Amino acid sequence: MNHDTPVSPRPLSHLTDAQRRVLSAAQLRAHGVTAAKTAAQCRAGGPWQQILPGVFVLHPGPPTSEERLHAALLYAGRPTAAGLVPAQARTEGEVTSYGDVMVTGLAALALYRFSSAPPLLSLDRIDVLVPRTRRLRSTGCARLVRAHAMPTTHQVSGVPVAPVARALADAVAQLSDADAVRRLLTEAVRGSHCEPAAVVRELTLARLLSRPHVVDAVDSLLAEGRAIAEDRLYAMVREHGLPDPLWNVDLRLPGGPHLGGVDIYWPEQAVAVELDTRAPRQDEDAMGSPLLERSRELGEWSEYARKREHLERLGITVVHITPKKLRESMEQQATVVRTALMASADREPSAYVVVLPR
């Protein structure tokens, strides 16, 4: 027995969709097709074609965008015959295994239905995220993007796809058009695909914030994200029957130092709400370093914590709300704020503070 001898031959008659029309050499062998027969089928004028090394399209016409997508995944993932899902299992909702790889970049954003991303059909190459140790090269329609640590895979229409923030960073890395970058980042936030801080973190790790057109787009992104979060904060107060507060104010001690700004303040109850929209800073000497990235986040958290501790020593309760929590569980956040307001009656009176518009 040699490597071309099929172990458990299976018929090809059930191969009807894109996943089944595109197979690797290992999968063909599992169907009982030897390397010699595959080569014969792929001769000029033959019924099959080789689209990528070790990956074949089982018809002679131009591959569809979906077929190119699956071909790129098969090439990058190199699944063995064991990775082929039986036809019966597929009808029950299971998906083909491609190993530890996933679609990223513009192709992933197209799968997420970004209107600002070009359609799959117009993409010359499919970006596939692979572990950095994978010993393959980009070729044909497959462009390999290496990752030091693979993110959690999302399934979109049975296709393994990188999270939106990572896909955005990989797409931006290939773009020099400032308007295109801005449109993609803006749609990610407006469409509630991900939070601005997550996008900035991925762009930082990819060392893309040294590019002026990316920095400009990020400034717009953060402003957009902040505006959307503030709108949700207004909606939380209005829709969940919270008392009318003071909005966007600075707190100071009488004749003393500035205590900091807060997004909402109820002076009678001495309760403040602050949106936590922290994002990594664009320090020139820290681009792309996960360790320094973590240090910056800890530094920003320490600043928030010091401010909160100072206010609470003065008897002011500070509720921190992230945009993500506000988006995903507004009612729960309103309950947290309402509880803080009700608990004010049981606390010692707070210190007198001066409230100024911010």
Side-chain angles (χ1 to χ4, degrees):
M1 178 181 291
N2 59 39
H3 69 281
D4 286 333
T5 304
V7 178
S8 301
R10 305 188 189 100
L12 291 172
S13 58
H14 65 279
L15 300 177
T16 56
D17 61 16
Q19 291 179 335
R20 302 169 195 177
R21 291 193 302 267
V22 181
L23 293 180
S24 68
Q27 292 172 333
L28 284 169
R29 286 197 298 272
H31 281 297
V33 182
T34 65
K37 183 175 181 181
T38 298
Q41 295 285 86
C42 292
R43 288 174 183 165
W48 295 358
Q49 56 187 306
Q50 181 170 320
I51 184 172
L52 287 167
V55 183
F56 305 89
V57 177
L58 308 189
H59 64 76
T64 66
S65 57
E66 190 177 0
E67 288 168 349
R68 291 168 65 246
L69 187 72
H70 291 295
L73 284 166
L74 283 175
Y75 169 72
R78 289 290 172 92
T80 63
L84 183 63
V85 180
Q88 181 180 2
R90 285 179 181 167
T91 61
E92 296 170 359
E94 296 187 24
V95 296
T96 302
S97 169
Y98 297 105
D100 53 354
V101 303
M102 61 192 78
V103 178
T104 189
L106 288 173
L109 299 180
L111 288 170
Y112 280 119
R113 300 187 181 279
F114 270 59
S115 62
S116 53
L120 283 173
L121 189 61
S122 68
L123 296 177
D124 294 328
R125 289 187 143 188
I126 307 296
D127 290 334
V128 183
L129 196 62
V130 302
R132 64 181 179 86
T133 54
R134 184 61 47 83
R135 299 181 66 181
L136 283 175
R137 293 183 178 181
S138 299
T139 185
C141 64
R143 177 165 49 206
L144 305 190
V145 180
R146 303 186 188 280
H148 289 278
M150 296 293 286
T152 301
T153 304
H154 293 195
Q155 290 286 334
V156 180
S157 300
V159 176
V161 181
V164 171
R166 177 59 200 251
L168 277 169
D170 291 332
V172 169
Q174 304 296 330
L175 296 173
S176 58
D177 185 332
D179 289 337
V181 170
R182 184 177 292 106
R183 284 195 298 269
L184 288 172
L185 299 188
T186 299
E187 182 173 354
V189 175
R190 286 183 180 174
S192 299
H193 292 284
C194 58
E195 299 299 329
V199 178
V200 177
R201 184 174 296 110
E202 290 291 349
L203 293 174
T204 303
L205 293 175
R207 303 189 179 190
L208 294 172
L209 294 185
S210 59
R211 303 181 183 182
H213 71 284
V214 176
V215 173
D216 291 343
V218 165
D219 288 342
S220 298
L221 170 77
L222 295 176
E224 181 83 18
R226 176 79 190 186
I228 291 173
E230 287 179 347
D231 285 345
R232 291 189 178 125
L233 204 57
Y234 282 107
M236 181 190 74
V237 172
R238 182 178 63 253
E239 295 173 9
H240 293 278
L242 296 175
D244 289 336
L246 301 177
W247 295 93
N248 296 317
V249 294
D250 275 324
L251 304 180
R252 294 179 181 271
L253 287 173
H258 176 235
L259 299 173
V262 294
D263 294 282
I264 303 179
Y265 188 57
W266 286 270
E268 292 185 8
Q269 294 86 359
V271 172
V273 171
E274 187 164 19
L275 274 173
D276 183 358
T277 56
R278 287 172 296 132
R281 291 199 305 268
Q282 303 168 14
D283 296 349
E284 185 177 353
D285 60 349
M287 291 304 167
S289 167
L291 181 60
L292 290 175
E293 160 76 11
R294 180 63 177 157
S295 297
R296 285 200 308 276
E297 290 180 346
L298 290 174
E300 288 178 341
W301 175 249
S302 296
E303 182 179 342
Y304 267 71
R306 283 195 299 270
K307 175 180 172 181
R308 178 174 184 169
E309 289 171 2
H310 192 178
L311 289 174
E312 292 193 341
R313 281 198 300 270
L314 297 172
I316 297 172
T317 299
V318 182
V319 179
H320 278 268
I321 299 179
T322 65
K324 182 177 181 180
K325 288 181 178 179
L326 199 56
R327 171 167 57 90
E328 296 179 352
S329 56
M330 181 183 291
E331 183 176 359
Q332 182 180 359
Q333 302 311 303
T335 300
V336 171
V337 174
R338 185 178 291 106
T339 300
L341 292 170
M342 294 172 62
S344 65
D346 300 325
R347 299 197 314 263
E348 292 293 326
S350 65
Y352 178 76
V353 297
V354 177
V355 182
L356 300 172
R358 183 165 58 169

